[in-house]
Amino acid sequence: MKHFYIIFVMSLFFVFFCISIFNQSTKISDSYKLPNFKTENITDLFPKNIDEINNLTKLALEEAQNSLKFIYDIKDQEYNFKNIMLLFDRTTANFSYKFSTLYVLTMVHPDQEMREAAQKSVMELQKFSIDQFSQNQKLYQILKNYNESRVASSEKIADFEEYFIKETLDSYKKAGLEKDDQTRELIKSITQELGVLALDFDKNINSDNRFIKVSKEELKGVDDEFVESLKKDQDFYILGVDYPTVFKIFEECEIESTRKALWYEFNLRGYPANKEVLNKIIVLRDRLAKFLGFDSYAHMDIADQMAKTPTNVINFLNDISDKCKLKVSQEIEALKKDLPISIDLVENKFKPWDFKFVVNYYNKKYMMLDENLISQYFPTDYTLKALLDIYEQFFGLKFERSNVQNLWSEDVQVLKVYKDNKFIGTLLLDLWPRDNKYPHACQVGIVSSVRDKNYDIISPAVVLVIANFTKPQKDKPALLRRKEVTTFFHECGHAIHSLLGSTELANQSGTSVKGDFVEMPSQMLEEWMTDKEVLKSISKHYITGEKLPDNIIESIQKNQNALIASHLLGQVAYSLISLNLFDKGESKNIDLIWREAHDLLSEVTYGCSDYGYCSFGHLTNYGSKYYGYLWSKIYAKDLFNKIKEHGLFNREIGELYAQKILAKGGSQDPNELLKDFLSRETSSEAFFKDCGL
């Protein structure tokens, strides 16, 4: 009884706290305030129960409505950047972090009722955002009128402020705010429906916990420690479709029937529900593009990106594909020369569930790269700390572990982040697989970092890195596979961008950049994984304490591009899928588009019942812009080569990179940022040369 009384009192306190905020927020000064979460009170950011979810939702709506009213009530003659554009920036930022907080719960919370309540709130806030922000004609007209009066009055503003105005007004025009009333209502309706469908698509992937059951004999080739770490149902072992399990089985299990069965389940994630959802998304996105005056959704989606048009993207992808063809043939022939005994080809092609097994066999035998052996040098606790040490040295950061309790899982690690002895934000790490958790790896910028004119942080960043790494086994600590270490470098690249990309406007902070540029900082940091000094610094054998041996490092460096053309062609295939699904026309044969792109990988047979597009999560949040990974890789290689000339632990070049690229966030055109850092135009030469193409 006492326990329930305490909960009741706490919930009352939360309600009273929220009510007091609602009353105070009638003052315009409160609408300019941004969140200021310290690491010690970071748990206050995340609701602990359904009542708190509902209260946070109500708070987000009421604060946004109050702030919008202030904007509406400003007289024309009183217009200036602060009371129009800055207030607009702060209003959307305060709404956005509450939305992001709730969205995170849908991705990671272990309790189904909490996920469902958060999902309901996210849908409510999403609808409000479309109605009151992105499709709000009254708000757009005020922003437009302000810009006209600003030009007429010659109000002096900074370049980043002018860029913000231009980008904001352009986005409103692109969203159809110049259209007639009837068309705008249709656009709003479609946008609302697309938002719901995108949430459904993601939920169907996250909640798909399919598995197969196999005997001990059907796991031949897989090490005993991994086998014993699996859940069991009587005498059978349960293989889920989480990434650590899937890759382990694909690469090491000698029993083809096991690999095949798991391959089918892995490629059925989200099916059949997401096939129907994706068809609806394709139809609605095409209609939306037509209403907005574009030939296709792909044209609309890419119009404001670095690439500008789908034609430019196609030419870019064709160039990579053409350069890869000869090397792909050479790579495949090398694999075919000596196949494992259990492998047979079909019409001289690999079966899809065999390909990773063959590659792993080839790597071990001919490249001296045994990934199981190498993982013994990457115990998670040591390697992650060593990676953070590199960021400390290169960027001048300091990470301090904080013993914060009462987050959604005891797995979550919490780090305070400092720069020049000043607190700049909180980094959360949720790295282990759980049922119903987001199944891939990503970074979520929950609270944007904002600074004042004196470069003092007024709103510290809150950043979450989600991954699904190999868990500890019975007699072993968690050991990271080399691919997982690279993934951590990648996602922390986004996190560093969020932490160091502190700008005066929240909407320009961190990763708020062009969609085909956002992957550049993360992919640039991936390149660190090929450097000998870096590999030495982040490795330590979990038993002996020895560093990664020189002969293994030499093999890694010598063979880093051994199968690069096959990898790049795979990325081209996924890029074409995302383009072609959203090309002109409502009616698309999704299975045919998926298969035609797969045919680029002509040395691997197509598996019937391959519905991998149902778990291709990038289709909702990246749309037709999956090509951005390859597009930004060009820049990443170019910048990495310049940095390497100075040294990968060189603080001076790290500070320069942070200052000229990361710290700018989205406050400037990325082409200008790149040219400023490189002191020249960007070039693809480094990319193709490093790839051996």
Side-chain angles (χ1 to χ4, degrees), residues 308-486:
K308 302 299 183 187
T309 69
T311 300
N312 290 339
V313 175
I314 292 293
N315 291 338
F316 167 72
L317 296 175
N318 285 341
D319 185 37
I320 293 177
S321 181
D322 290 343
K323 285 182 167 66
C324 284
K325 284 178 181 176
L326 176 60
K327 194 169 191 303
V328 165
S329 298
Q330 295 169 344
E331 291 171 0
I332 297 300
E333 285 308 309
L335 294 177
K336 288 179 179 178
K337 278 183 180 178
D338 180 16
L339 294 173
I341 295 174
S342 60
I343 298 298
D344 57 285
L345 304 179
V346 177
E347 297 179 353
N348 203 35
K349 294 182 179 182
F350 295 104
K351 287 170 275 190
W353 47 84
D354 289 343
F355 190 70
K356 288 186 182 297
F357 183 75
V358 172
V359 169
N360 188 52
Y361 170 84
Y362 180 83
N363 286 346
K364 288 167 69 174
K365 185 170 182 178
Y366 293 100
M367 299 186 191
M368 307 305 168
L369 294 176
D370 183 336
E371 295 298 343
N372 270 343
L373 174 64
I374 294 173
S375 71
Q376 295 177 18
Y377 291 88
F378 294 130
T380 301
D381 289 345
Y382 178 85
T383 297
L384 296 190
K385 183 183 183 305
L387 287 171
L388 296 176
D389 288 344
I390 291 175
Y391 301 145
E392 288 188 347
Q393 188 168 343
F394 186 69
F395 292 111
L397 296 170
K398 180 184 176 185
F399 296 91
E400 185 179 288
R401 291 191 177 273
S402 183
N403 186 26
V404 175
Q405 305 294 322
N406 299 320
L407 289 167
W408 57 87
S409 170
E410 62 183 15
D411 290 341
V412 181
Q413 302 174 52
V414 182
L415 301 168
K416 292 182 184 179
V417 189
Y418 297 87
K419 171 74 173 167
D420 300 327
N421 296 317
K422 294 180 180 179
F423 174 71
I424 63 169
T426 301
L427 174 60
L428 306 170
L429 305 176
D430 188 351
L431 305 179
W432 314 120
R434 291 188 302 275
D435 286 346
N436 302 302
K437 178 187 170 185
Y438 176 79
H440 203 44
C442 71
Q443 180 258 188
V444 183
I446 302 171
V447 177
S448 298
S449 179
V450 180
R451 62 171 177 83
D452 61 20
K453 295 182 185 298
N454 298 317
Y455 290 85
D456 290 325
I457 302 294
I458 57 177
S459 181
V462 180
V463 185
L464 168 65
V465 170
I466 301 173
N468 289 274
F469 293 151
T470 305
K471 298 183 79 169
Q473 296 172 10
K474 188 175 182 181
D475 297 317
K476 284 184 181 179
L479 301 175
L480 293 172
R481 297 177 80 79
R482 194 158 52 102
K483 188 182 301 180
E484 293 175 323
V485 182
T486 302

Side-chain angles (χ1 to χ4, degrees), residues 576-588:
L576 289 173
I577 289 165
S578 71
L579 278 172
N580 293 335
L581 285 176
F582 302 117
D583 196 4
K584 189 183 301 183
E586 293 184 9
S587 179
K588 301 282 171 46

Side-chain angles (χ1 to χ4, degrees), residues 15-187:
V15 171
F16 292 146
F17 175 70
C18 291
I19 290 172
S20 71
I21 288 179
F22 296 154
N23 292 336
Q24 292 173 10
S25 66
T26 55
K27 296 187 297 184
I28 191 169
S29 59
D30 287 335
S31 294
Y32 286 96
K33 292 179 181 177
L34 289 168
N36 187 5
F37 286 98
K38 305 298 184 186
T39 304
E40 294 77 10
N41 63 1
I42 203 67
T43 56
D44 296 342
L45 179 58
F46 301 99
K48 311 297 186 303
N49 54 55
I50 293 174
D51 284 342
E52 290 188 9
I53 287 175
N54 294 334
N55 287 331
L56 182 61
T57 306
K58 184 178 179 182
L59 177 63
L61 295 171
E62 294 207 13
E63 282 187 345
Q65 288 165 341
N66 286 338
S67 295
L68 286 170
K69 187 176 186 303
F70 288 130
I71 294 175
Y72 298 154
D73 290 345
I74 294 170
K75 307 296 184 186
D76 292 7
Q77 61 271 23
E78 297 173 353
Y79 283 176
N80 58 45
F81 186 88
K82 180 181 178 182
N83 63 23
I84 299 295
M85 296 308 300
L86 184 62
L87 185 53
F88 169 75
D89 175 73
R90 298 313 195 232
T91 300
T92 53
N94 278 311
F95 184 86
S96 178
Y97 92 80
K98 296 178 183 70
F99 178 92
S100 296
T101 297
L102 293 167
Y103 189 74
V104 161
L105 296 185
T106 71
M107 300 173 74
V108 299
H109 206 286
D111 182 79
Q112 182 177 345
E113 291 185 355
M114 285 289 287
R115 289 196 309 275
E116 289 176 350
Q119 179 93 352
K120 181 180 177 183
S121 287
V122 164
M123 291 172 67
E124 184 179 357
L125 294 183
Q126 184 172 257
K127 183 179 187 305
F128 177 90
S129 178
I130 293 169
D131 286 338
Q132 300 301 322
F133 292 131
S134 62
Q135 288 293 324
N136 186 336
Q137 176 67 20
K138 183 177 182 180
L139 177 61
Y140 169 59
Q141 197 60 49
I142 290 172
L143 301 181
K144 186 179 175 183
N145 290 345
Y146 158 67
N147 188 49
E148 291 171 356
S149 68
R150 175 188 70 83
V151 173
S153 66
S154 301
E155 179 189 0
K156 292 184 178 179
I157 61 174
D159 289 345
F160 74 87
E161 293 171 332
E162 190 152 352
Y163 187 70
F164 176 53
I165 295 171
K166 180 183 182 304
E167 290 283 293
T168 301
L169 293 179
D170 285 351
S171 69
Y172 271 112
K173 290 175 187 174
K174 181 183 171 185
L177 273 294
E178 296 281 358
K179 302 291 183 182
D180 60 80
D181 291 348
Q182 183 178 3
T183 303
R184 285 203 315 274
E185 284 304 311
L186 289 170
I187 290 169

